[in-house]
Amino acid sequence: VSTQSTWVYTLAWTTLKLGNENTNILASGGIRGEIRMFHPANKVCFHEWKPVEKKNTAVNSLVFHTSEPTWLFCGTNDGVVSLWDVGLPTLPTYDGVNPKQLLKLFPGYGDVYNIAWSGHESNWLLAGTAAGLVGWNVEAKKVVDQGSKYRPMMVDFLLPESDKDQ
């Protein structure tokens, strides 16, 4: 039986080096505003946290960074896009997972419905919002070097209007 409290809106995969093995990790987000991390091979949810403390804030979209496998981008319905370093779990206890926010972006366009990462070759993070499409060129080196002071420039994509928009 599905209840609203279990609605999952988004899933994202990454591969982490745990011990000597490459291990697939799944992250999910949904209506309860939580991000949950799973180790499918062990059939366990090993960590959960809320990227936003406000009530009634859903996690609408998640995507992992391609060259920094512990970095997770998150889009929420309060209009914020954030970047988290989830840490590296140590088996068998999964210690070492302690999500730290690296970046917080405020497009100011209402709900963030979906985010997409172009990959570390071009570094574009795009967000589909209630008022249109925006993007940032997010450079990993600047995230590390400048920390929370880093503010990538936002690019506003102008979408063509159609007669249906009238």
Side-chain angles (χ1 to χ4, degrees):
V1 176
S2 174
T3 65
Q4 188 176 10
S5 66
T6 60
W7 289 358
V8 174
Y9 293 163
T10 182
L11 299 169
W13 286 99
T14 192
T15 301
L16 302 177
K17 189 100 167 160
L18 303 185
N20 297 334
E21 286 187 35
N22 285 334
T23 304
N24 291 323
I25 299 296
L26 176 69
S28 72
I31 198 165
R32 292 179 62 191
E34 296 173 340
I35 296 174
R36 295 181 181 194
M37 296 187 64
F38 300 89
H39 184 186
N42 287 354
K43 299 181 177 115
V44 65
C45 172
F46 61 88
H47 193 77
E48 65 181 58
W49 84 97
K50 288 190 170 211
V52 178
E53 289 303 319
K54 287 184 254 168
K55 282 197 176 288
N56 302 319
T57 301
V59 174
N60 287 343
S61 190
L62 296 170
V63 64
F64 278 97
H65 193 284
T66 46
S67 65
E68 303 292 338
T70 64
W71 289 11
L72 179 65
F73 292 104
C74 175
T76 51
N77 72 346
D78 63 347
V80 174
V81 176
S82 53
L83 173 60
W84 296 82
D85 186 340
V86 299
L88 199 58
T90 305
L91 296 178
T93 60
Y94 298 96
D95 291 338
V97 177
N98 183 22
K100 291 183 177 40
Q101 190 173 72
L102 302 176
L103 192 60
K104 193 170 185 179
L105 304 168
F106 304 91
Y109 278 24
D111 292 13
V112 175
Y113 295 121
N114 199 8
I115 54 176
W117 174 245
S118 68
H120 62 276
E121 297 296 322
S122 62
N123 297 317
W124 279 100
L125 177 66
L126 302 176
T129 72
L133 181 65
V134 295
W136 302 266
N137 191 273
V138 179
E139 297 177 54
K141 183 174 179 356
K142 288 185 179 177
V143 171
V144 172
D145 292 347
Q146 297 177 24
S148 61
K149 293 182 183 131
Y150 177 51
R151 290 285 173 259
M153 184 181 72
M154 188 175 88
V155 176
D156 190 356
F157 291 85
L158 298 176
L159 303 176
E161 288 189 25
S162 80
D163 294 337
K164 295 177 185 173
D165 294 333
Q166 305 303 321

